[in-house]
Amino acid sequence: MKAAHQIASVVVCWMFSITMNAQPSDSDRLGMALDYYCSGKIEEALVIFERLDRQYQLNPRFHAYMGMCYYHERIYDLACKYFDEAIPHLGGFSPIERFSYYYSAGDSHFRLEEYAAALPYFEQALTVCPEQRRTDVLSLLEWCRKMTSPTTDAITDESETEGKTAAEEDSIPEKEPSAEEKTAKETVVESESMEPTAPQ
């Protein structure tokens, strides 16, 4: 009986050690990354997503999640990279999920001052936009349109030219006036300094 008890103890300990040493599968890790993302642990989620993406090349939806992680971490260039490749493949998802991706992609490009790239994302976001976000999207959309219009370029070019002209004028030394110019200038100064005489 004592031997059976010892064998049972060894088997239980052995099973317990196997359970404790078992590594989560990659699908479990993917689930962990989603859990981390949903609970606001963006950095932890991103570490797992990046490792799994290097190993397996994740599908577009997980690339969109990676874009969201980079967006929340304010790494806008990488957010744009992942959104730009993933969003064309996400047409079948819910409107609110697509809105998140469209808006975040547009905002990422906007923050990088890539207004032409942001414009189509804000246009798509407007089609699936919750009513309470509509004003925000319209405002960003109009700003992008304004910044990409040809008249904005002309105004910007004109103001840059004016700035350069003023700077150039400041840096050009005045030439020495000729004798005729000096005489003309002295005559003008004398006539301005003369007080009118009162009629007698």
Side-chain angles (χ1 to χ4, degrees):
M1 184 78 163
K2 192 173 186 184
H5 185 340
Q6 286 177 339
I7 291 174
S9 295
V10 169
V11 169
V12 168
C13 288
W14 178 73
M15 290 179 66
F16 182 73
S17 70
I18 289 175
T19 305
M20 293 304 290
N21 291 328
Q23 295 293 320
S25 69
D26 288 334
S27 62
D28 291 338
R29 285 190 178 94
L30 197 53
M32 286 171 44
L34 291 172
D35 289 343
Y36 281 142
Y37 175 80
C38 292
S39 64
K41 297 178 180 177
I42 304 301
E43 199 172 320
E44 291 87 343
L46 195 50
V47 167
I48 296 171
F49 281 136
E50 286 173 337
R51 189 180 68 71
L52 291 174
D53 191 45
R54 279 191 304 272
Q55 192 172 356
Y56 296 108
Q57 184 64 34
L58 296 175
N59 69 39
R61 189 175 196 185
F62 290 113
H63 279 179
Y65 276 114
M66 291 175 75
M68 293 298 288
C69 289
Y70 285 119
Y71 175 72
H72 289 296
E73 291 291 311
R74 294 184 172 103
I75 305 171
Y76 299 116
D77 56 333
L78 288 176
C80 290
K81 173 187 178 267
Y82 281 96
F83 285 135
D84 291 349
E85 71 181 46
I87 286 177
H89 306 284
L90 302 177
F93 294 103
S94 74
I96 194 69
E97 185 175 355
R98 287 189 331 232
F99 170 76
S100 284
Y101 300 144
Y102 297 151
Y103 181 86
S104 300
D107 194 37
S108 295
H109 282 290
F110 185 87
R111 290 172 185 270
L112 294 173
E113 297 180 7
E114 298 171 351
Y115 304 112
L119 192 59
Y121 288 120
F122 288 131
E123 288 170 343
Q124 289 176 301
L126 197 58
T127 65
V128 290
C129 183
E131 194 58 40
Q132 66 270 25
R133 299 295 304 274
R134 192 167 185 75
T135 303
D136 185 32
V137 174
L138 283 170
S139 158
L140 290 167
L141 185 59
E142 287 308 310
W143 183 261
C144 289
R145 286 180 178 152
K146 177 182 173 188
M147 295 307 290
T148 57
S149 75
T151 55
T152 303
D153 292 339
I155 292 169
T156 304
D157 291 343
E158 222 175 83
S159 66
E160 287 174 2
T161 304
E162 287 173 10
K164 287 178 186 174
T165 304
E168 289 169 357
E169 285 177 6
D170 289 342
S171 66
I172 298 173
E174 289 186 30
K175 68 176 187 171
E176 188 66 35
S178 68
E180 292 173 342
E181 291 172 330
K182 284 182 185 178
T183 306
K185 189 175 184 179
E186 289 169 359
T187 306
V188 171
V189 170
E190 285 175 12
S191 67
E192 287 175 352
S193 66
M194 296 173 80
E195 293 183 19
T197 55
Q200 297 182 356

